[in-house]
Amino acid sequence: MNDIINYFETLDPVLGAFYATLFTWGVTALGAALVFFFKGMNRALFDAMLGFAGGVMVAASFWSLLAPGIEMSPGDGFVKVIPAAVGFALGAAFLFGLDKVLPHLHVNFKEEDKEGIRSPWHKSVLLTLAITLHNIPEGLAVGVLFGGVAAGFDGATIGGAVALAIGIGLQNFPEGFAVAMPLRRQGFSRWKSFNYGQLSAIVEPIAAVVGAYAVMTFQPILPYALAFAAGAMIFVVVEEVVPETQQGNHTDIATMGFIGGFILMMTLDVGLG
């Protein structure tokens, strides 16, 4: 692990963010690739994996984003928390707007439950767009952390950025699976199901590069940008991930998956950051 961190320290931060999110995209593709080996999915395991993804996102929002953002903010007391509060609210508002505009369909929901503006798009596209919503703040978070390291802010470390990328990569595995397998069950070919699954994470490297470049160009926005990514991620967890795990009869299993994901992400961030 130290070799990986040392390698990223030698890279341009924008390039480092791009490489890190290529990894998270690749793990999404691995999850989608399960469609080549299985004909169906165990619902209890699937809900546990979705819960795990939610736990990782919540832990990352605090340990990797909000806490460093507050630490590097100027001032004391209430003044010190203002950038985090403003950024968090803006991030949630941004995802709220996308959720209302972008046509999409959450995993485990019926087609008549699709959200966003009315669209004739097929369920395959709507499912892909739903997971893409998850991935925008995740890619942005990784990019912002890499940009913060380049800007020399206390609290932003390469180890922390790598830990965040690893955690997001792990929780992307079930997201690729969540798109590919339902499509396969609807009669799509294995190859087409896989392509839709991996395509959902293509936005992560794009968001990461934008986030890193923005922070490096406008350094004072870093505390706001970290909190923005956190607010967007928490919105996704509450609006999408948690409800998706509550549609079946395995809510307890999903909850334990959430706890496991939180513990793992917290451990990675503290241990590597």
mmCIF file of all heavy atoms in Angstrom, residues 4 16 24 53 58 70 79 105 133 150 163 170 174 198 207 228 242:
data_model
loop_
_atom_site.group_PDB
_atom_site.id
_atom_site.type_symbol
_atom_site.label_atom_id
_atom_site.label_comp_id
_atom_site.label_asym_id
_atom_site.label_seq_id
_atom_site.Cartn_x
_atom_site.Cartn_y
_atom_site.Cartn_z
ATOM 1 N N ILE A 4 1.891 2.159 -3.441
ATOM 2 C CA ILE A 4 0.834 2.808 -4.216
ATOM 3 C C ILE A 4 0.762 4.284 -3.870
ATOM 4 O O ILE A 4 0.672 5.155 -4.756
ATOM 5 C CB ILE A 4 -0.517 2.130 -3.951
ATOM 6 C CG1 ILE A 4 -0.491 0.688 -4.466
ATOM 7 C CG2 ILE A 4 -1.654 2.906 -4.606
ATOM 8 C CD1 ILE A 4 -1.749 -0.103 -4.142
ATOM 9 N N GLY A 16 -3.366 11.999 -11.219
ATOM 10 C CA GLY A 16 -3.587 11.066 -10.124
ATOM 11 C C GLY A 16 -5.073 10.831 -9.882
ATOM 12 O O GLY A 16 -5.504 9.692 -9.672
ATOM 13 N N THR A 24 -11.827 3.029 -9.901
ATOM 14 C CA THR A 24 -13.213 2.883 -9.437
ATOM 15 C C THR A 24 -14.134 2.483 -10.584
ATOM 16 O O THR A 24 -15.076 1.706 -10.396
ATOM 17 C CB THR A 24 -13.721 4.172 -8.776
ATOM 18 O OG1 THR A 24 -13.742 5.250 -9.731
ATOM 19 C CG2 THR A 24 -12.830 4.575 -7.605
ATOM 20 N N ALA A 53 -22.617 -0.291 0.238
ATOM 21 C CA ALA A 53 -22.307 0.906 -0.546
ATOM 22 C C ALA A 53 -22.744 2.160 0.196
ATOM 23 O O ALA A 53 -22.020 3.166 0.241
ATOM 24 C CB ALA A 53 -22.987 0.829 -1.909
ATOM 25 N N VAL A 58 -21.495 7.151 3.451
ATOM 26 C CA VAL A 58 -21.704 7.985 4.641
ATOM 27 C C VAL A 58 -20.386 8.194 5.384
ATOM 28 O O VAL A 58 -20.060 9.320 5.798
ATOM 29 C CB VAL A 58 -22.757 7.347 5.570
ATOM 30 C CG1 VAL A 58 -22.807 8.084 6.909
ATOM 31 C CG2 VAL A 58 -24.129 7.398 4.910
ATOM 32 N N ILE A 70 -13.619 21.058 7.432
ATOM 33 C CA ILE A 70 -13.755 21.904 8.617
ATOM 34 C C ILE A 70 -12.387 22.247 9.188
ATOM 35 O O ILE A 70 -12.125 23.385 9.597
ATOM 36 C CB ILE A 70 -14.633 21.203 9.673
ATOM 37 C CG1 ILE A 70 -16.072 21.072 9.157
ATOM 38 C CG2 ILE A 70 -14.605 21.963 10.996
ATOM 39 C CD1 ILE A 70 -16.970 20.231 10.039
ATOM 40 N N VAL A 79 -17.899 30.372 12.908
ATOM 41 C CA VAL A 79 -17.317 30.859 11.659
ATOM 42 C C VAL A 79 -16.590 29.730 10.930
ATOM 43 O O VAL A 79 -16.659 29.618 9.697
ATOM 44 C CB VAL A 79 -16.348 32.028 11.933
ATOM 45 C CG1 VAL A 79 -15.608 32.429 10.661
ATOM 46 C CG2 VAL A 79 -17.112 33.214 12.504
ATOM 47 N N LEU A 105 -34.446 5.479 -13.120
ATOM 48 C CA LEU A 105 -35.242 4.501 -12.392
ATOM 49 C C LEU A 105 -34.360 3.812 -11.368
ATOM 50 O O LEU A 105 -33.334 3.227 -11.720
ATOM 51 C CB LEU A 105 -35.825 3.462 -13.360
ATOM 52 C CG LEU A 105 -36.626 2.316 -12.734
ATOM 53 C CD1 LEU A 105 -37.899 2.849 -12.091
ATOM 54 C CD2 LEU A 105 -36.970 1.267 -13.788
ATOM 55 N N LEU A 133 -26.078 8.852 -11.287
ATOM 56 C CA LEU A 133 -26.303 9.874 -10.256
ATOM 57 C C LEU A 133 -25.469 9.581 -9.017
ATOM 58 O O LEU A 133 -24.936 10.501 -8.380
ATOM 59 C CB LEU A 133 -27.792 9.930 -9.876
ATOM 60 C CG LEU A 133 -28.728 10.741 -10.762
ATOM 61 C CD1 LEU A 133 -30.151 10.599 -10.268
ATOM 62 C CD2 LEU A 133 -28.326 12.208 -10.796
ATOM 63 N N ALA A 150 -2.463 18.971 -3.851
ATOM 64 C CA ALA A 150 -1.604 19.800 -4.701
ATOM 65 C C ALA A 150 -1.566 21.241 -4.226
ATOM 66 O O ALA A 150 -0.537 21.916 -4.330
ATOM 67 C CB ALA A 150 -2.097 19.745 -6.145
ATOM 68 N N ALA A 163 -7.275 6.233 -0.072
ATOM 69 C CA ALA A 163 -8.234 5.490 0.749
ATOM 70 C C ALA A 163 -9.655 5.719 0.250
ATOM 71 O O ALA A 163 -10.463 4.781 0.175
ATOM 72 C CB ALA A 163 -8.116 5.908 2.214
ATOM 73 N N LEU A 170 -14.683 -0.209 -3.958
ATOM 74 C CA LEU A 170 -15.320 -1.386 -3.362
ATOM 75 C C LEU A 170 -16.844 -1.283 -3.412
ATOM 76 O O LEU A 170 -17.535 -2.272 -3.704
ATOM 77 C CB LEU A 170 -14.857 -1.570 -1.918
ATOM 78 C CG LEU A 170 -13.398 -1.979 -1.723
ATOM 79 C CD1 LEU A 170 -13.046 -1.990 -0.241
ATOM 80 C CD2 LEU A 170 -13.130 -3.356 -2.339
ATOM 81 N N PRO A 174 -21.041 -3.531 -6.320
ATOM 82 C CA PRO A 174 -22.463 -3.874 -6.406
ATOM 83 C C PRO A 174 -23.248 -2.955 -7.325
ATOM 84 O O PRO A 174 -24.305 -3.344 -7.838
ATOM 85 C CB PRO A 174 -22.947 -3.758 -4.953
ATOM 86 C CG PRO A 174 -21.962 -2.881 -4.284
ATOM 87 C CD PRO A 174 -20.648 -3.168 -4.949
ATOM 88 N N GLN A 198 -21.147 -1.165 -16.770
ATOM 89 C CA GLN A 198 -19.885 -0.449 -16.636
ATOM 90 C C GLN A 198 -20.006 1.002 -17.083
ATOM 91 O O GLN A 198 -19.287 1.872 -16.602
ATOM 92 C CB GLN A 198 -18.774 -1.168 -17.415
ATOM 93 C CG GLN A 198 -18.981 -1.286 -18.918
ATOM 94 C CD GLN A 198 -18.542 -0.070 -19.695
ATOM 95 O OE1 GLN A 198 -17.690 0.694 -19.241
ATOM 96 N NE2 GLN A 198 -19.139 0.126 -20.861
ATOM 97 N N ALA A 207 -15.700 13.625 -13.595
ATOM 98 C CA ALA A 207 -15.960 14.453 -12.414
ATOM 99 C C ALA A 207 -14.701 14.655 -11.589
ATOM 100 O O ALA A 207 -14.477 15.738 -11.024
ATOM 101 C CB ALA A 207 -17.060 13.809 -11.560
ATOM 102 N N PHE A 228 -19.331 20.105 -0.458
ATOM 103 C CA PHE A 228 -20.256 19.950 -1.586
ATOM 104 C C PHE A 228 -20.356 18.479 -1.976
ATOM 105 O O PHE A 228 -21.461 17.935 -2.144
ATOM 106 C CB PHE A 228 -19.755 20.782 -2.766
ATOM 107 C CG PHE A 228 -20.632 20.739 -3.989
ATOM 108 C CD1 PHE A 228 -21.567 21.736 -4.212
ATOM 109 C CD2 PHE A 228 -20.522 19.710 -4.912
ATOM 110 C CE1 PHE A 228 -22.382 21.711 -5.344
ATOM 111 C CE2 PHE A 228 -21.326 19.665 -6.038
ATOM 112 C CZ PHE A 228 -22.260 20.670 -6.257
ATOM 113 N N VAL A 242 -30.639 3.876 0.472
ATOM 114 C CA VAL A 242 -31.391 3.286 1.579
ATOM 115 C C VAL A 242 -32.783 2.824 1.137
ATOM 116 O O VAL A 242 -33.184 1.681 1.440
ATOM 117 C CB VAL A 242 -31.471 4.263 2.763
ATOM 118 C CG1 VAL A 242 -32.445 3.749 3.825
ATOM 119 C CG2 VAL A 242 -30.090 4.459 3.384
#
